[in-house]
Every structure is written in C-alpha cells, then in structure tokens.
Amino acid sequence: MLLNQLLGRQPQALLFDLDGTLIDSVPDLASAVDHTLKHADLPPAGETLVRGWVGNGARKLLERALKHAQSDADLDALLPVFFEAYEACCAEYTVAYPGVEAALQHWHKQGIRLACVTNKPERFALKIVRHFGWDKVMPVVLGGDSLPQRKPSPEPLWEACERLGVERTDALMVGDSVNDVEAARAAGMPVIAVPYGYNYGSDIREAKPDLVVEQLDELI
C-alpha cells in the first residue's frame, strides 16, 4: 500500500484539499464569476480562463477576473455579489473526480480519519461535502476562513489533526497545488499530489511532492 510506504506504517489520518483534488468545481465557479462580471457591466470570462485562476480563494479569483477585464471595479463591493451567486450554484455542476468516491469509502472503512482542508470559504466547502454525502466519512472541514491562517501556512493542517484526534506525524496531506505541498512541508507531513487539478498551469511535479498519482483510487 503506497500510503504505508510514505510513513513506514498506515497513516491514522488523511487531509484533503477540495477544489482540484476531490472535485472539479470550475463550472460553478465560472458561472459565479461571469454573473459577477455581468453585474459590473463587464464581459464574461468563461470556464477555460477561470480554470487557470482557481486555487487561492475567492478574493484572488475575482481579482484575476477583474485584471483580465482591465477593470478598476471595486473588488470589495463585488465580492458579496460573487458569494451570493456561488452559494446558489456551488453544487450544481461540480463533480467528483474519478476514483475519489471509492477511495474515500475505502479509507473510512479502514478506520483512517479523513478531513478536508481547503482555502474555499467554510460555508461553501461544507455545502459541497454534504452534497456528496462525504460528511458521513469526513467529519472535519476547514475552510480558508476557519482560522486566521490559511494554506500554505501549516496551521490549518495542524488544526485538522487536532480535531481528528491524531498526531501530526501520523497524517498525510493530499492536494493538487503548490499551496498544498508547501503547507504539508511546513506542517512536517508527507504530501501526495494529483496532476489533474488547479496549479496555475504548472506541472505539480515541479513542486516535488512525495508522490503523484493519476487518481486517488490508485492508493487503495
């Protein structure tokens, strides 16, 4: 089992990023971005562009959209518009990546504790996790606004371990971006990456995670 090789034993906990790791959320994010741009009388960005902007939270996403539109519109005024639009559609076209469901269910049955550690605002992350029924196997969900710090800071990973009741040295991080790799390194835990997510157009292998798998069920 590949997980055991990274720690030299079976991990007690797995911490997962959400967007780009467990789910492809870009269709719904793009819908909310385009709604917000329309509200500001700006042209839509479209799903292809938004796919390259995701990964650093909603504020940065909208900042990139406004920059692309060459607009000096008030970002703080538009964020509530984006949040309202996204809350209405965040689980409409979002899908789980292949292998995710089988992997999560397998690890839950193995007694491995699971948590979601994302930079997405907590209320959206919770809504999506519940939409897929993962709250039954993933009791801890930390968003980008759950703590004063967010990834790539290590504190969210440490907090997830504390809430799960496991030692940091018994946990692994699973993500898709350099933020996840840097957070895991700072937290002192191994990190597994998937290559299909949102890493700003760069190959995640360049961030030197401990392991890259094409889909999560390769790990079971």
Side-chain angles (χ1 to χ4, degrees):
M1 186 177 180
L2 291 174
L3 291 180
N4 296 20
Q5 294 174 14
L6 292 179
L7 279 178
R9 61 192 182 282
Q10 179 170 293
Q12 291 187 24
L14 295 172
L15 315 181
F16 297 94
D17 176 55
L18 187 59
D19 300 71
T21 301
L22 299 180
I23 59 167
D24 182 6
S25 55
V26 166
D28 290 328
L29 287 167
S31 176
V33 167
D34 286 347
H35 173 88
T36 307
L37 292 173
K38 182 179 180 180
H39 178 87
D41 294 321
L42 296 170
E47 186 175 319
T48 299
L49 284 174
V50 170
R51 189 168 292 279
W53 297 338
V54 171
N56 294 110
R59 185 180 186 87
K60 195 67 178 180
L61 171 60
L62 200 55
E63 181 183 308
R64 288 167 174 150
L66 292 175
K67 181 179 180 181
H68 175 77
Q70 298 182 329
S71 171
D72 59 358
D74 186 345
L75 176 61
D76 289 319
L78 288 177
L79 268 172
V81 177
F82 171 82
F83 285 141
E84 182 179 0
Y86 187 58
E87 188 158 20
C89 74
C90 67
E92 188 171 351
Y93 296 110
T94 289
V95 297
Y97 287 108
V100 166
E101 181 68 31
L104 294 181
Q105 296 298 333
H106 171 82
W107 290 321
H108 176 65
K109 291 175 182 175
Q110 291 288 312
I112 298 175
R113 299 170 190 178
L114 310 178
C116 175
V117 184
T118 174
N119 279 346
K120 183 188 288 293
E122 183 178 304
R123 69 183 188 273
F124 302 137
L126 282 169
K127 186 172 182 178
I128 291 169
V129 166
R130 289 166 181 160
H131 169 77
F132 287 102
W134 295 337
D135 53 312
K136 299 177 179 64
V137 301
M138 189 181 296
V140 172
V141 177
L142 290 173
D145 54 356
S146 299
L147 300 175
Q149 306 85 5
R150 53 191 286 156
K151 296 180 301 181
S153 294
E155 283 84 359
L157 281 64
W158 291 337
E159 178 69 16
C161 290
E162 184 172 338
R163 295 192 189 186
L164 290 173
V166 302
E167 297 294 329
R168 303 170 185 176
T169 52
D170 289 323
L172 293 173
M173 179 69 200
V174 183
D176 69 299
S177 76
V178 64
N179 275 347
D180 300 310
V181 175
E182 290 179 356
R185 294 289 180 239
M189 60 182 66
V191 56
I192 298 168
V194 293
Y196 50 69
Y198 317 140
N199 192 40
Y200 328 117
S202 298
D203 188 335
I204 190 57
R205 294 171 181 83
E206 295 174 5
K208 301 191 184 308
D210 295 291
L211 180 67
V212 176
V213 294
E214 294 299 320
Q215 56 185 59
L216 293 187
D217 57 358
E218 293 179 19
L219 294 167
I220 63 178

mmCIF file of all heavy atoms in Angstrom, residues 55-91:
data_model
loop_
_atom_site.group_PDB
_atom_site.id
_atom_site.type_symbol
_atom_site.label_atom_id
_atom_site.label_comp_id
_atom_site.label_asym_id
_atom_site.label_seq_id
_atom_site.Cartn_x
_atom_site.Cartn_y
_atom_site.Cartn_z
ATOM 1 N N GLY A 55 -7.627 28.563 -7.071
ATOM 2 C CA GLY A 55 -6.645 27.947 -6.202
ATOM 3 C C GLY A 55 -6.196 28.787 -5.023
ATOM 4 O O GLY A 55 -5.619 28.254 -4.087
ATOM 5 N N ASN A 56 -6.440 30.077 -5.068
ATOM 6 C CA ASN A 56 -6.002 30.946 -3.971
ATOM 7 C C ASN A 56 -7.166 31.616 -3.251
ATOM 8 O O ASN A 56 -6.987 32.635 -2.586
ATOM 9 C CB ASN A 56 -5.054 32.033 -4.498
ATOM 10 C CG ASN A 56 -3.756 31.470 -5.011
ATOM 11 O OD1 ASN A 56 -3.512 31.472 -6.209
ATOM 12 N ND2 ASN A 56 -2.920 30.948 -4.116
ATOM 13 N N GLY A 57 -8.350 31.050 -3.387
ATOM 14 C CA GLY A 57 -9.504 31.624 -2.715
ATOM 15 C C GLY A 57 -10.294 32.564 -3.605
ATOM 16 O O GLY A 57 -9.858 32.971 -4.693
ATOM 17 N N ALA A 58 -11.494 32.928 -3.116
ATOM 18 C CA ALA A 58 -12.442 33.704 -3.908
ATOM 19 C C ALA A 58 -11.939 35.105 -4.229
ATOM 20 O O ALA A 58 -12.121 35.602 -5.343
ATOM 21 C CB ALA A 58 -13.775 33.780 -3.172
ATOM 22 N N ARG A 59 -11.325 35.756 -3.259
ATOM 23 C CA ARG A 59 -10.869 37.130 -3.485
ATOM 24 C C ARG A 59 -9.846 37.183 -4.618
ATOM 25 O O ARG A 59 -9.932 38.032 -5.510
ATOM 26 C CB ARG A 59 -10.286 37.704 -2.193
ATOM 27 C CG ARG A 59 -9.895 39.168 -2.313
ATOM 28 C CD ARG A 59 -9.320 39.734 -1.027
ATOM 29 N NE ARG A 59 -9.109 41.160 -1.173
ATOM 30 C CZ ARG A 59 -10.048 42.086 -0.932
ATOM 31 N NH1 ARG A 59 -11.248 41.717 -0.517
ATOM 32 N NH2 ARG A 59 -9.788 43.367 -1.108
ATOM 33 N N LYS A 60 -8.885 36.267 -4.576
ATOM 34 C CA LYS A 60 -7.861 36.241 -5.622
ATOM 35 C C LYS A 60 -8.466 35.862 -6.970
ATOM 36 O O LYS A 60 -8.065 36.393 -8.018
ATOM 37 C CB LYS A 60 -6.752 35.257 -5.240
ATOM 38 C CG LYS A 60 -5.486 35.410 -6.069
ATOM 39 C CD LYS A 60 -4.806 36.731 -5.791
ATOM 40 C CE LYS A 60 -3.503 36.876 -6.571
ATOM 41 N NZ LYS A 60 -2.829 38.161 -6.297
ATOM 42 N N LEU A 61 -9.437 34.963 -6.959
ATOM 43 C CA LEU A 61 -10.115 34.573 -8.191
ATOM 44 C C LEU A 61 -10.776 35.776 -8.850
ATOM 45 O O LEU A 61 -10.610 36.029 -10.053
ATOM 46 C CB LEU A 61 -11.152 33.485 -7.881
ATOM 47 C CG LEU A 61 -12.111 33.083 -9.001
ATOM 48 C CD1 LEU A 61 -11.346 32.545 -10.202
ATOM 49 C CD2 LEU A 61 -13.105 32.040 -8.494
ATOM 50 N N LEU A 62 -11.515 36.530 -8.057
ATOM 51 C CA LEU A 62 -12.210 37.692 -8.606
ATOM 52 C C LEU A 62 -11.220 38.792 -8.998
ATOM 53 O O LEU A 62 -11.414 39.497 -10.000
ATOM 54 C CB LEU A 62 -13.217 38.217 -7.590
ATOM 55 C CG LEU A 62 -14.335 39.109 -8.149
ATOM 56 C CD1 LEU A 62 -15.082 38.391 -9.264
ATOM 57 C CD2 LEU A 62 -15.297 39.506 -7.043
ATOM 58 N N GLU A 63 -10.149 38.921 -8.250
ATOM 59 C CA GLU A 63 -9.108 39.891 -8.592
ATOM 60 C C GLU A 63 -8.525 39.579 -9.969
ATOM 61 O O GLU A 63 -8.310 40.476 -10.793
ATOM 62 C CB GLU A 63 -8.016 39.848 -7.530
ATOM 63 C CG GLU A 63 -6.879 40.809 -7.741
ATOM 64 C CD GLU A 63 -5.802 40.660 -6.672
ATOM 65 O OE1 GLU A 63 -6.154 40.693 -5.477
ATOM 66 O OE2 GLU A 63 -4.618 40.504 -7.043
ATOM 67 N N ARG A 64 -8.281 38.293 -10.229
ATOM 68 C CA ARG A 64 -7.736 37.903 -11.538
ATOM 69 C C ARG A 64 -8.743 38.158 -12.649
ATOM 70 O O ARG A 64 -8.372 38.552 -13.760
ATOM 71 C CB ARG A 64 -7.329 36.428 -11.493
ATOM 72 C CG ARG A 64 -6.087 36.165 -10.661
ATOM 73 C CD ARG A 64 -5.888 34.693 -10.375
ATOM 74 N NE ARG A 64 -4.604 34.460 -9.698
ATOM 75 C CZ ARG A 64 -4.376 33.473 -8.853
ATOM 76 N NH1 ARG A 64 -5.322 32.589 -8.576
ATOM 77 N NH2 ARG A 64 -3.203 33.340 -8.277
ATOM 78 N N ALA A 65 -10.029 37.930 -12.353
ATOM 79 C CA ALA A 65 -11.063 38.171 -13.356
ATOM 80 C C ALA A 65 -11.141 39.660 -13.715
ATOM 81 O O ALA A 65 -11.266 40.028 -14.888
ATOM 82 C CB ALA A 65 -12.408 37.672 -12.839
ATOM 83 N N LEU A 66 -11.050 40.523 -12.706
ATOM 84 C CA LEU A 66 -11.103 41.963 -12.956
ATOM 85 C C LEU A 66 -9.855 42.447 -13.693
ATOM 86 O O LEU A 66 -9.929 43.319 -14.562
ATOM 87 C CB LEU A 66 -11.270 42.716 -11.635
ATOM 88 C CG LEU A 66 -12.617 42.528 -10.931
ATOM 89 C CD1 LEU A 66 -12.609 43.238 -9.576
ATOM 90 C CD2 LEU A 66 -13.765 43.039 -11.798
ATOM 91 N N LYS A 67 -8.735 41.864 -13.347
ATOM 92 C CA LYS A 67 -7.494 42.230 -14.038
ATOM 93 C C LYS A 67 -7.581 41.851 -15.509
ATOM 94 O O LYS A 67 -7.180 42.624 -16.393
ATOM 95 C CB LYS A 67 -6.298 41.544 -13.371
ATOM 96 C CG LYS A 67 -4.959 41.887 -14.016
ATOM 97 C CD LYS A 67 -3.814 41.203 -13.290
ATOM 98 C CE LYS A 67 -2.472 41.548 -13.939
ATOM 99 N NZ LYS A 67 -1.337 40.871 -13.245
ATOM 100 N N HIS A 68 -8.106 40.647 -15.768
ATOM 101 C CA HIS A 68 -8.255 40.215 -17.160
ATOM 102 C C HIS A 68 -9.188 41.152 -17.927
ATOM 103 O O HIS A 68 -8.952 41.447 -19.096
ATOM 104 C CB HIS A 68 -8.802 38.785 -17.210
ATOM 105 C CG HIS A 68 -9.103 38.314 -18.603
ATOM 106 N ND1 HIS A 68 -8.121 37.911 -19.474
ATOM 107 C CD2 HIS A 68 -10.284 38.205 -19.278
ATOM 108 C CE1 HIS A 68 -8.674 37.562 -20.621
ATOM 109 N NE2 HIS A 68 -9.983 37.730 -20.530
ATOM 110 N N ALA A 69 -10.227 41.617 -17.249
ATOM 111 C CA ALA A 69 -11.187 42.532 -17.874
ATOM 112 C C ALA A 69 -10.667 43.964 -17.935
ATOM 113 O O ALA A 69 -11.357 44.845 -18.457
ATOM 114 C CB ALA A 69 -12.506 42.495 -17.111
ATOM 115 N N GLN A 70 -9.459 44.188 -17.408
ATOM 116 C CA GLN A 70 -8.843 45.515 -17.363
ATOM 117 C C GLN A 70 -9.790 46.518 -16.700
ATOM 118 O O GLN A 70 -9.970 47.645 -17.174
ATOM 119 C CB GLN A 70 -8.445 45.974 -18.769
ATOM 120 C CG GLN A 70 -7.422 45.072 -19.427
ATOM 121 C CD GLN A 70 -7.003 45.550 -20.800
ATOM 122 O OE1 GLN A 70 -7.775 46.158 -21.533
ATOM 123 N NE2 GLN A 70 -5.755 45.281 -21.162
ATOM 124 N N SER A 71 -10.347 46.050 -15.570
ATOM 125 C CA SER A 71 -11.326 46.870 -14.861
ATOM 126 C C SER A 71 -10.782 47.302 -13.515
ATOM 127 O O SER A 71 -10.073 46.551 -12.838
ATOM 128 C CB SER A 71 -12.617 46.065 -14.652
ATOM 129 O OG SER A 71 -13.499 46.747 -13.786
ATOM 130 N N ASP A 72 -11.134 48.516 -13.111
ATOM 131 C CA ASP A 72 -10.784 49.005 -11.784
ATOM 132 C C ASP A 72 -12.014 48.996 -10.873
ATOM 133 O O ASP A 72 -12.101 49.765 -9.911
ATOM 134 C CB ASP A 72 -10.178 50.405 -11.857
ATOM 135 C CG ASP A 72 -11.118 51.431 -12.495
ATOM 136 O OD1 ASP A 72 -12.225 51.038 -12.923
ATOM 137 O OD2 ASP A 72 -10.738 52.619 -12.569
ATOM 138 N N ALA A 73 -12.971 48.114 -11.173
ATOM 139 C CA ALA A 73 -14.173 47.989 -10.348
ATOM 140 C C ALA A 73 -13.801 47.650 -8.913
ATOM 141 O O ALA A 73 -12.754 47.032 -8.642
ATOM 142 C CB ALA A 73 -15.091 46.913 -10.925
ATOM 143 N N ASP A 74 -14.637 48.041 -7.980
ATOM 144 C CA ASP A 74 -14.381 47.856 -6.552
ATOM 145 C C ASP A 74 -14.504 46.375 -6.183
ATOM 146 O O ASP A 74 -15.605 45.818 -6.155
ATOM 147 C CB ASP A 74 -15.379 48.690 -5.751
ATOM 148 C CG ASP A 74 -15.088 48.670 -4.258
ATOM 149 O OD1 ASP A 74 -14.312 47.815 -3.795
ATOM 150 O OD2 ASP A 74 -15.655 49.523 -3.545
ATOM 151 N N LEU A 75 -13.371 45.743 -5.923
ATOM 152 C CA LEU A 75 -13.351 44.322 -5.602
ATOM 153 C C LEU A 75 -14.170 44.016 -4.356
ATOM 154 O O LEU A 75 -14.938 43.045 -4.322
ATOM 155 C CB LEU A 75 -11.902 43.856 -5.417
ATOM 156 C CG LEU A 75 -11.681 42.400 -4.989
ATOM 157 C CD1 LEU A 75 -12.246 41.434 -6.009
ATOM 158 C CD2 LEU A 75 -10.182 42.138 -4.782
ATOM 159 N N ASP A 76 -14.032 44.845 -3.336
ATOM 160 C CA ASP A 76 -14.758 44.601 -2.088
ATOM 161 C C ASP A 76 -16.268 44.693 -2.280
ATOM 162 O O ASP A 76 -17.031 43.987 -1.614
ATOM 163 C CB ASP A 76 -14.300 45.586 -1.008
ATOM 164 C CG ASP A 76 -12.891 45.300 -0.523
ATOM 165 O OD1 ASP A 76 -12.571 44.106 -0.357
ATOM 166 O OD2 ASP A 76 -12.122 46.251 -0.334
ATOM 167 N N ALA A 77 -16.698 45.549 -3.181
ATOM 168 C CA ALA A 77 -18.129 45.674 -3.445
ATOM 169 C C ALA A 77 -18.659 44.490 -4.246
ATOM 170 O O ALA A 77 -19.833 44.113 -4.109
ATOM 171 C CB ALA A 77 -18.406 46.976 -4.193
ATOM 172 N N LEU A 78 -17.798 43.885 -5.063
ATOM 173 C CA LEU A 78 -18.232 42.781 -5.922
ATOM 174 C C LEU A 78 -18.144 41.417 -5.242
ATOM 175 O O LEU A 78 -18.833 40.482 -5.653
ATOM 176 C CB LEU A 78 -17.398 42.759 -7.206
ATOM 177 C CG LEU A 78 -17.679 43.882 -8.199
ATOM 178 C CD1 LEU A 78 -16.745 43.782 -9.389
ATOM 179 C CD2 LEU A 78 -19.133 43.847 -8.664
ATOM 180 N N LEU A 79 -17.328 41.304 -4.214
ATOM 181 C CA LEU A 79 -17.197 40.006 -3.541
ATOM 182 C C LEU A 79 -18.530 39.469 -3.014
ATOM 183 O O LEU A 79 -18.839 38.285 -3.206
ATOM 184 C CB LEU A 79 -16.166 40.098 -2.411
ATOM 185 C CG LEU A 79 -14.732 39.730 -2.774
ATOM 186 C CD1 LEU A 79 -13.795 40.049 -1.614
ATOM 187 C CD2 LEU A 79 -14.613 38.272 -3.181
ATOM 188 N N PRO A 80 -19.368 40.304 -2.361
ATOM 189 C CA PRO A 80 -20.667 39.787 -1.915
ATOM 190 C C PRO A 80 -21.546 39.309 -3.067
ATOM 191 O O PRO A 80 -22.313 38.355 -2.918
ATOM 192 C CB PRO A 80 -21.298 40.978 -1.188
ATOM 193 C CG PRO A 80 -20.142 41.843 -0.790
ATOM 194 C CD PRO A 80 -19.138 41.675 -1.887
ATOM 195 N N VAL A 81 -21.429 39.964 -4.221
ATOM 196 C CA VAL A 81 -22.182 39.542 -5.403
ATOM 197 C C VAL A 81 -21.723 38.153 -5.832
ATOM 198 O O VAL A 81 -22.546 37.270 -6.131
ATOM 199 C CB VAL A 81 -21.997 40.546 -6.549
ATOM 200 C CG1 VAL A 81 -22.726 40.068 -7.814
ATOM 201 C CG2 VAL A 81 -22.479 41.925 -6.136
ATOM 202 N N PHE A 82 -20.415 37.962 -5.851
ATOM 203 C CA PHE A 82 -19.860 36.662 -6.214
ATOM 204 C C PHE A 82 -20.296 35.586 -5.222
ATOM 205 O O PHE A 82 -20.732 34.494 -5.601
ATOM 206 C CB PHE A 82 -18.334 36.737 -6.264
ATOM 207 C CG PHE A 82 -17.680 35.389 -6.427
ATOM 208 C CD1 PHE A 82 -17.571 34.800 -7.674
ATOM 209 C CD2 PHE A 82 -17.195 34.696 -5.321
ATOM 210 C CE1 PHE A 82 -16.995 33.544 -7.831
ATOM 211 C CE2 PHE A 82 -16.615 33.447 -5.463
ATOM 212 C CZ PHE A 82 -16.513 32.879 -6.719
ATOM 213 N N PHE A 83 -20.180 35.882 -3.928
ATOM 214 C CA PHE A 83 -20.518 34.890 -2.908
ATOM 215 C C PHE A 83 -21.995 34.487 -2.988
ATOM 216 O O PHE A 83 -22.332 33.311 -2.853
ATOM 217 C CB PHE A 83 -20.197 35.428 -1.516
ATOM 218 C CG PHE A 83 -18.734 35.441 -1.186
ATOM 219 C CD1 PHE A 83 -18.175 36.506 -0.481
ATOM 220 C CD2 PHE A 83 -17.912 34.398 -1.572
ATOM 221 C CE1 PHE A 83 -16.818 36.520 -0.168
ATOM 222 C CE2 PHE A 83 -16.553 34.413 -1.269
ATOM 223 C CZ PHE A 83 -16.007 35.468 -0.563
ATOM 224 N N GLU A 84 -22.853 35.450 -3.215
ATOM 225 C CA GLU A 84 -24.282 35.136 -3.318
ATOM 226 C C GLU A 84 -24.552 34.243 -4.530
ATOM 227 O O GLU A 84 -25.309 33.265 -4.453
ATOM 228 C CB GLU A 84 -25.100 36.420 -3.419
ATOM 229 C CG GLU A 84 -26.604 36.178 -3.481
ATOM 230 C CD GLU A 84 -27.409 37.460 -3.550
ATOM 231 O OE1 GLU A 84 -26.816 38.559 -3.552
ATOM 232 O OE2 GLU A 84 -28.659 37.358 -3.604
ATOM 233 N N ALA A 85 -23.913 34.570 -5.650
ATOM 234 C CA ALA A 85 -24.099 33.778 -6.858
ATOM 235 C C ALA A 85 -23.539 32.371 -6.681
ATOM 236 O O ALA A 85 -24.170 31.374 -7.076
ATOM 237 C CB ALA A 85 -23.423 34.470 -8.049
ATOM 238 N N TYR A 86 -22.368 32.278 -6.060
ATOM 239 C CA TYR A 86 -21.739 30.968 -5.907
ATOM 240 C C TYR A 86 -22.508 30.097 -4.917
ATOM 241 O O TYR A 86 -22.660 28.886 -5.118
ATOM 242 C CB TYR A 86 -20.284 31.108 -5.473
ATOM 243 C CG TYR A 86 -19.563 29.777 -5.472
ATOM 244 C CD1 TYR A 86 -19.481 29.017 -6.632
ATOM 245 C CD2 TYR A 86 -18.974 29.280 -4.313
ATOM 246 C CE1 TYR A 86 -18.839 27.792 -6.637
ATOM 247 C CE2 TYR A 86 -18.325 28.056 -4.313
ATOM 248 C CZ TYR A 86 -18.262 27.314 -5.481
ATOM 249 O OH TYR A 86 -17.643 26.101 -5.483
ATOM 250 N N GLU A 87 -23.014 30.697 -3.851
ATOM 251 C CA GLU A 87 -23.771 29.918 -2.877
ATOM 252 C C GLU A 87 -25.004 29.291 -3.521
ATOM 253 O O GLU A 87 -25.410 28.191 -3.164
ATOM 254 C CB GLU A 87 -24.182 30.794 -1.699
ATOM 255 C CG GLU A 87 -24.814 30.014 -0.560
ATOM 256 C CD GLU A 87 -24.743 30.740 0.765
ATOM 257 O OE1 GLU A 87 -24.556 31.970 0.755
ATOM 258 O OE2 GLU A 87 -24.876 30.078 1.800
ATOM 259 N N ALA A 88 -25.576 29.981 -4.486
ATOM 260 C CA ALA A 88 -26.777 29.475 -5.148
ATOM 261 C C ALA A 88 -26.481 28.328 -6.104
ATOM 262 O O ALA A 88 -27.368 27.517 -6.397
ATOM 263 C CB ALA A 88 -27.461 30.604 -5.906
ATOM 264 N N CYS A 89 -25.219 28.220 -6.575
ATOM 265 C CA CYS A 89 -24.939 27.234 -7.630
ATOM 266 C C CYS A 89 -23.762 26.313 -7.326
ATOM 267 O O CYS A 89 -23.374 25.518 -8.177
ATOM 268 C CB CYS A 89 -24.667 27.954 -8.957
ATOM 269 S SG CYS A 89 -23.053 28.785 -9.050
ATOM 270 N N CYS A 90 -23.198 26.368 -6.120
ATOM 271 C CA CYS A 90 -21.894 25.733 -5.879
ATOM 272 C C CYS A 90 -21.894 24.213 -6.014
ATOM 273 O O CYS A 90 -20.825 23.605 -6.120
ATOM 274 C CB CYS A 90 -21.337 26.146 -4.515
ATOM 275 S SG CYS A 90 -22.259 25.535 -3.104
ATOM 276 N N ALA A 91 -23.069 23.588 -6.005
ATOM 277 C CA ALA A 91 -23.111 22.130 -6.173
ATOM 278 C C ALA A 91 -23.929 21.729 -7.400
ATOM 279 O O ALA A 91 -24.360 20.596 -7.521
ATOM 280 C CB ALA A 91 -23.686 21.470 -4.928
#
